[in-house]
PDB file of all heavy atoms in Angstrom:
ATOM      1  N   PHE A   6     118.332  81.591 112.455  1.00 98.00           N
ATOM      2  CA  PHE A   6     117.219  81.574 111.505  1.00 98.00           C
ATOM      3  C   PHE A   6     117.738  81.829 110.091  1.00 98.00           C
ATOM      4  O   PHE A   6     118.370  82.865 109.847  1.00 98.00           O
ATOM      5  CB  PHE A   6     116.166  82.616 111.897  1.00 98.00           C
ATOM      6  CG  PHE A   6     115.538  82.305 113.213  1.00 98.00           C
ATOM      7  CD1 PHE A   6     116.000  82.903 114.383  1.00 98.00           C
ATOM      8  CD2 PHE A   6     114.498  81.393 113.297  1.00 98.00           C
ATOM      9  CE1 PHE A   6     115.440  82.598 115.610  1.00 98.00           C
ATOM     10  CE2 PHE A   6     113.929  81.079 114.524  1.00 98.00           C
ATOM     11  CZ  PHE A   6     114.405  81.678 115.683  1.00 98.00           C
ATOM     12  N   PHE A   7     117.503  80.869 109.209  1.00 98.00           N
ATOM     13  CA  PHE A   7     117.928  81.001 107.804  1.00 98.00           C
ATOM     14  C   PHE A   7     116.678  81.336 106.992  1.00 98.00           C
ATOM     15  O   PHE A   7     115.795  80.499 106.819  1.00 98.00           O
ATOM     16  CB  PHE A   7     118.549  79.681 107.339  1.00 98.00           C
ATOM     17  CG  PHE A   7     119.202  79.725 105.967  1.00 98.00           C
ATOM     18  CD1 PHE A   7     119.298  80.899 105.229  1.00 98.00           C
ATOM     19  CD2 PHE A   7     119.744  78.566 105.411  1.00 98.00           C
ATOM     20  CE1 PHE A   7     119.914  80.934 103.989  1.00 98.00           C
ATOM     21  CE2 PHE A   7     120.362  78.576 104.162  1.00 98.00           C
ATOM     22  CZ  PHE A   7     120.440  79.767 103.453  1.00 98.00           C
ATOM     23  N   SER A  20     123.440  70.527 106.979  1.00 98.00           N
ATOM     24  CA  SER A  20     124.499  69.522 106.883  1.00 98.00           C
ATOM     25  C   SER A  20     125.816  70.070 107.444  1.00 98.00           C
ATOM     26  O   SER A  20     126.534  69.375 108.161  1.00 98.00           O
ATOM     27  CB  SER A  20     124.643  69.104 105.407  1.00 98.00           C
ATOM     28  OG  SER A  20     125.753  68.281 105.247  1.00 98.00           O
ATOM     29  N   ILE A  29     120.163  75.232 112.746  1.00 98.00           N
ATOM     30  CA  ILE A  29     119.604  76.085 111.684  1.00 98.00           C
ATOM     31  C   ILE A  29     118.088  75.898 111.647  1.00 98.00           C
ATOM     32  O   ILE A  29     117.592  74.773 111.541  1.00 98.00           O
ATOM     33  CB  ILE A  29     120.205  75.714 110.301  1.00 98.00           C
ATOM     34  CG1 ILE A  29     121.740  75.774 110.336  1.00 98.00           C
ATOM     35  CG2 ILE A  29     119.650  76.623 109.204  1.00 98.00           C
ATOM     36  CD1 ILE A  29     122.323  77.141 110.609  1.00 98.00           C
ATOM     37  N   TYR A  50     120.742  94.763 101.835  1.00 97.00           N
ATOM     38  CA  TYR A  50     119.399  95.356 101.814  1.00 97.00           C
ATOM     39  C   TYR A  50     118.371  94.360 102.360  1.00 97.00           C
ATOM     40  O   TYR A  50     117.470  94.731 103.112  1.00 97.00           O
ATOM     41  CB  TYR A  50     119.027  95.790 100.391  1.00 97.00           C
ATOM     42  CG  TYR A  50     117.757  96.609 100.369  1.00 97.00           C
ATOM     43  CD1 TYR A  50     117.794  97.974 100.628  1.00 97.00           C
ATOM     44  CD2 TYR A  50     116.526  96.008 100.131  1.00 97.00           C
ATOM     45  CE1 TYR A  50     116.629  98.723 100.655  1.00 97.00           C
ATOM     46  CE2 TYR A  50     115.352  96.753 100.156  1.00 97.00           C
ATOM     47  CZ  TYR A  50     115.418  98.098 100.411  1.00 97.00           C
ATOM     48  OH  TYR A  50     114.261  98.838 100.439  1.00 97.00           O
ATOM     49  N   ILE A  86     116.909  84.177  85.100  1.00 97.00           N
ATOM     50  CA  ILE A  86     117.274  83.384  83.925  1.00 97.00           C
ATOM     51  C   ILE A  86     116.896  81.915  84.134  1.00 97.00           C
ATOM     52  O   ILE A  86     116.368  81.266  83.233  1.00 97.00           O
ATOM     53  CB  ILE A  86     118.796  83.531  83.628  1.00 97.00           C
ATOM     54  CG1 ILE A  86     119.083  84.966  83.179  1.00 97.00           C
ATOM     55  CG2 ILE A  86     119.287  82.525  82.597  1.00 97.00           C
ATOM     56  CD1 ILE A  86     118.213  85.463  82.025  1.00 97.00           C
ATOM     57  N   LEU A  98     121.671  78.665  74.628  1.00 95.00           N
ATOM     58  CA  LEU A  98     122.333  79.967  74.497  1.00 95.00           C
ATOM     59  C   LEU A  98     123.844  79.800  74.341  1.00 95.00           C
ATOM     60  O   LEU A  98     124.520  80.593  73.686  1.00 95.00           O
ATOM     61  CB  LEU A  98     122.033  80.775  75.761  1.00 95.00           C
ATOM     62  CG  LEU A  98     122.215  82.268  75.766  1.00 95.00           C
ATOM     63  CD1 LEU A  98     121.109  82.922  74.944  1.00 95.00           C
ATOM     64  CD2 LEU A  98     122.120  82.790  77.215  1.00 95.00           C
ATOM     65  N   LYS A 100     125.353  77.149  72.995  1.00 95.00           N
ATOM     66  CA  LYS A 100     125.601  76.065  72.038  1.00 95.00           C
ATOM     67  C   LYS A 100     126.918  76.220  71.272  1.00 95.00           C
ATOM     68  O   LYS A 100     127.674  75.271  71.103  1.00 95.00           O
ATOM     69  CB  LYS A 100     124.437  75.967  71.062  1.00 95.00           C
ATOM     70  CG  LYS A 100     124.186  74.570  70.586  1.00 95.00           C
ATOM     71  CD  LYS A 100     122.896  74.439  69.872  1.00 95.00           C
ATOM     72  CE  LYS A 100     122.760  72.992  69.411  1.00 95.00           C
ATOM     73  NZ  LYS A 100     121.550  72.796  68.658  1.00 95.00           N
ATOM     74  N   ILE A 102     129.482  78.110  72.108  1.00 96.00           N
ATOM     75  CA  ILE A 102     130.575  78.612  72.953  1.00 96.00           C
ATOM     76  C   ILE A 102     131.483  77.462  73.390  1.00 96.00           C
ATOM     77  O   ILE A 102     131.031  76.496  74.013  1.00 96.00           O
ATOM     78  CB  ILE A 102     130.004  79.356  74.187  1.00 96.00           C
ATOM     79  CG1 ILE A 102     129.218  80.580  73.721  1.00 96.00           C
ATOM     80  CG2 ILE A 102     131.109  79.761  75.145  1.00 96.00           C
ATOM     81  CD1 ILE A 102     128.557  81.365  74.850  1.00 96.00           C
ATOM     82  N   VAL A 112     127.115  85.016  98.494  1.00 98.00           N
ATOM     83  CA  VAL A 112     127.320  86.012  99.549  1.00 98.00           C
ATOM     84  C   VAL A 112     126.317  85.709 100.654  1.00 98.00           C
ATOM     85  O   VAL A 112     125.114  85.625 100.405  1.00 98.00           O
ATOM     86  CB  VAL A 112     127.133  87.452  99.022  1.00 98.00           C
ATOM     87  CG1 VAL A 112     127.200  88.453 100.176  1.00 98.00           C
ATOM     88  CG2 VAL A 112     128.207  87.782  97.995  1.00 98.00           C
ATOM     89  N   SER A 116     123.375  88.325 110.793  1.00 98.00           N
ATOM     90  CA  SER A 116     123.094  89.493 111.603  1.00 98.00           C
ATOM     91  C   SER A 116     122.573  89.089 112.984  1.00 98.00           C
ATOM     92  O   SER A 116     121.729  88.195 113.095  1.00 98.00           O
ATOM     93  CB  SER A 116     122.048  90.320 110.847  1.00 98.00           C
ATOM     94  OG  SER A 116     121.701  91.443 111.569  1.00 98.00           O
ATOM     95  N   THR A 134     128.429  72.331  81.463  1.00 98.00           N
ATOM     96  CA  THR A 134     128.389  71.123  80.631  1.00 98.00           C
ATOM     97  C   THR A 134     127.648  71.417  79.322  1.00 98.00           C
ATOM     98  O   THR A 134     127.116  72.513  79.125  1.00 98.00           O
ATOM     99  CB  THR A 134     127.617  70.003  81.360  1.00 98.00           C
ATOM    100  OG1 THR A 134     126.331  70.534  81.711  1.00 98.00           O
ATOM    101  CG2 THR A 134     128.333  69.541  82.605  1.00 98.00           C
ATOM    102  N   PHE A 143     119.737  71.224  92.918  1.00 98.00           N
ATOM    103  CA  PHE A 143     118.726  72.147  92.401  1.00 98.00           C
ATOM    104  C   PHE A 143     119.376  73.108  91.409  1.00 98.00           C
ATOM    105  O   PHE A 143     120.590  73.101  91.212  1.00 98.00           O
ATOM    106  CB  PHE A 143     118.077  72.921  93.557  1.00 98.00           C
ATOM    107  CG  PHE A 143     119.026  73.853  94.270  1.00 98.00           C
ATOM    108  CD1 PHE A 143     119.068  75.202  93.954  1.00 98.00           C
ATOM    109  CD2 PHE A 143     119.888  73.371  95.240  1.00 98.00           C
ATOM    110  CE1 PHE A 143     119.944  76.070  94.595  1.00 98.00           C
ATOM    111  CE2 PHE A 143     120.768  74.223  95.885  1.00 98.00           C
ATOM    112  CZ  PHE A 143     120.798  75.560  95.561  1.00 98.00           C
ATOM    113  N   GLY A 153     138.595  70.412  88.472  1.00 98.00           N
ATOM    114  CA  GLY A 153     139.286  69.304  89.127  1.00 98.00           C
ATOM    115  C   GLY A 153     138.399  68.082  89.303  1.00 98.00           C
ATOM    116  O   GLY A 153     138.841  67.061  89.827  1.00 98.00           O
TER     117      GLY A 153
END
Side-chain angles (χ1 to χ4, degrees):
F6 296 96
F7 188 4
S20 172
I29 305 297
Y50 190 84
I86 292 307
L98 198 72
K100 212 168 179 182
I102 297 178
V112 174
S116 179
T134 55
F143 66 97

